[in-house]
Amino acid sequence: MGSRTTTAWPRASPRVTSTDGRLSRHFSVEIYDELRHDGLALSDFVERQLESLRETHSEELASGLVLDLLVRHTTSRGTAKVCTYKALRELYAHRLKSMESLVERCIALYLLQPVAGERGRGDGVRLAHDTLAPIIRDRHARSKHDPVLNIGKA
């Protein structure tokens, strides 16, 4: 919440309160809408969830595996896409145990959601919402980690 407040504070207009004559800041619906439009609240959500992963998956977070996994669930158009469990197991065969527990934790943190296949089985996962995709792609592009194929070589 800190960065959201820091971003919103300068936008809030100072007003004199009627009870004590002191200045206070007024946060309007317009300010909230601007923040929401800028995606700041959602970026904060993603950052908090990634930070929560540090408790259980610090190595995967430090290596770049987390962002690599999440960006695999995005399209070049900045939307969410489904990755089958089969494709994920093949791609992350060198980190299979980590990947499986990481997917489960990302589901618990509302970053990913399971997707039912043709027969109602859980055949894959996708980002929890399309609006997460541009944030994940940006975060991944700014990261200093190697692609997935180099992660297992460390």
Side-chain angles (χ1 to χ4, degrees):
M1 177 142 165
S3 63
R4 193 172 358 177
T5 304
T6 303
T7 305
W9 187 255
R11 297 182 189 190
S13 57
R15 291 190 180 171
V16 175
T17 61
S18 58
T19 56
D20 60 12
R22 291 188 304 176
L23 285 178
S24 64
R25 297 274 178 176
H26 173 73
F27 293 94
S28 65
V29 172
E30 291 80 19
I31 293 170
Y32 172 78
D33 286 341
E34 284 176 31
L35 290 170
R36 195 178 67 198
H37 180 267
D38 293 346
L40 297 176
L42 202 49
S43 292
D44 288 346
F45 167 79
V46 170
E47 289 304 316
R48 280 192 309 272
Q49 302 311 75
L50 290 175
E51 190 57 36
S52 293
L53 284 168
R54 191 171 309 284
E55 298 168 15
T56 56
H57 293 85
S58 60
E59 182 183 324
E60 293 85 350
L61 195 59
S63 72
L65 180 63
V66 171
L67 285 174
D68 193 82
L69 173 71
L70 292 173
V71 82
R72 301 269 173 200
H73 293 85
T74 70
T75 68
S76 59
R77 292 185 175 198
T79 58
K81 78 172 187 182
V82 174
C83 291
T84 65
Y85 284 115
K86 179 182 178 192
L88 292 174
R89 282 191 292 274
E90 289 172 6
L91 186 61
Y92 298 104
H94 61 290
R95 302 285 297 265
L96 191 56
K97 203 171 195 177
S98 294
M99 185 277 302
E100 289 174 345
S101 69
L102 181 56
V103 167
E104 290 305 313
R105 184 74 175 128
C106 286
I107 290 170
L109 292 171
Y110 305 103
L111 291 169
L112 295 175
Q113 68 180 21
V115 176
E118 295 175 11
R119 296 191 178 141
R121 295 185 314 235
D123 290 341
V125 288
R126 68 177 301 253
L127 284 182
H129 198 276
D130 277 335
T131 56
L132 296 176
I135 296 165
I136 296 296
R137 291 182 68 82
D138 178 63
R139 185 78 159 67
H140 182 264
R142 291 184 291 121
S143 90
K144 62 182 188 286
H145 301 291
D146 293 332
V148 68
L149 297 178
N150 292 331
I151 290 172
K153 296 179 182 178

